[in-house]
Amino acid sequence: MLDYLFHRGRWRIALDIGTDSIKMLQMRCEGGGPAVCASARWRLPADSPRAGEPRRQLVIGAVRDMYRSGGFRGNRVISALSCDQLRIKNVRLPSLGQRELEEAVRGEAKDRFGVEFTPDQLHYLQAGQIRQGTETFQEVILLAVAREEVESHYSLL
């Protein structure tokens, strides 16, 4: 999975589109270890739009400028959704087998968020066993993202 970290040459460009700034970083393997070969940061103006087409155009222009002036090469990018786009909720479930747990997680996500998620939109972390009175439950953290959020971010890229 991390084989791209160990091949020769430049690595993918890491792109972080935050609420107050945009950051880009590209590394390469040099002398047997990682080295930064390009980086840039662009601070969004305080009065910049937070959403919609004006924000999108601002981000696109900033990334283009950063790419051109920062010494970046290639067009392979790694980017992540922002925390605002991710839905997070913790739930307590009875101790279940793996298959039953996955079904319960899908049901809880639908109940909590009001949306049915596909497997690539919903993940969970088992946080551990907890005791509530005399009963034992599994603490589970649900991580979900709406399809529209993924498509919007992909479109922006």
Side-chain angles (χ1 to χ4, degrees):
M1 181 173 149
L2 297 176
D3 59 333
Y4 68 90
L5 289 178
F6 302 105
H7 80 287
R8 298 221 181 271
R10 293 176 186 256
W11 300 345
R12 291 169 179 87
I13 299 167
L15 173 62
D16 177 14
I17 302 169
T19 56
D20 65 344
S21 67
I22 301 168
K23 296 171 280 299
M24 293 174 63
L25 175 71
Q26 188 172 32
M27 299 181 75
R28 68 174 173 242
C29 191
E30 186 177 283
V36 173
C37 59
S39 68
R41 181 176 182 189
W42 195 83
R43 193 166 282 287
L44 292 158
D47 61 346
S48 67
R50 295 286 176 211
E53 190 59 25
R55 163 100 173 169
R56 178 181 161 80
Q57 291 305 316
L58 183 65
V59 168
I60 290 170
V63 170
R64 279 189 181 136
D65 290 346
M66 292 165 62
Y67 182 85
R68 288 183 188 133
S69 65
F72 296 94
R73 299 287 180 260
N75 59 3
R76 297 181 64 132
V77 174
I78 297 172
S79 183
L81 297 171
S82 72
C83 293
D84 295 339
Q85 295 168 306
L86 186 64
R87 300 175 188 189
I88 304 171
K89 196 66 123 170
N90 65 309
V91 296
R92 292 182 178 165
L93 299 171
S95 295
L96 301 166
Q98 190 62 35
R99 174 174 266 142
E100 293 83 11
L101 178 61
E102 289 175 10
E103 289 176 20
V105 162
R106 280 195 302 277
E108 286 290 332
K110 184 177 180 182
D111 291 347
R112 304 284 175 136
F113 301 123
V115 177
E116 196 156 327
F117 296 97
T118 61
D120 64 333
Q121 294 172 272
L122 175 66
H123 294 276
Y124 64 94
L125 303 168
Q126 292 178 302
Q129 298 269 326
I130 61 157
R131 198 174 277 288
Q132 190 171 354
T134 59
E135 296 182 72
T136 302
F137 293 92
Q138 292 181 62
E139 185 81 14
V140 177
I141 302 169
L142 305 177
L143 306 161
V145 64
R147 172 71 52 203
E148 302 80 41
E149 296 285 1
V150 173
E151 289 172 356
S152 174
H153 190 76
Y154 184 71
S155 169
L156 179 63
L157 297 176

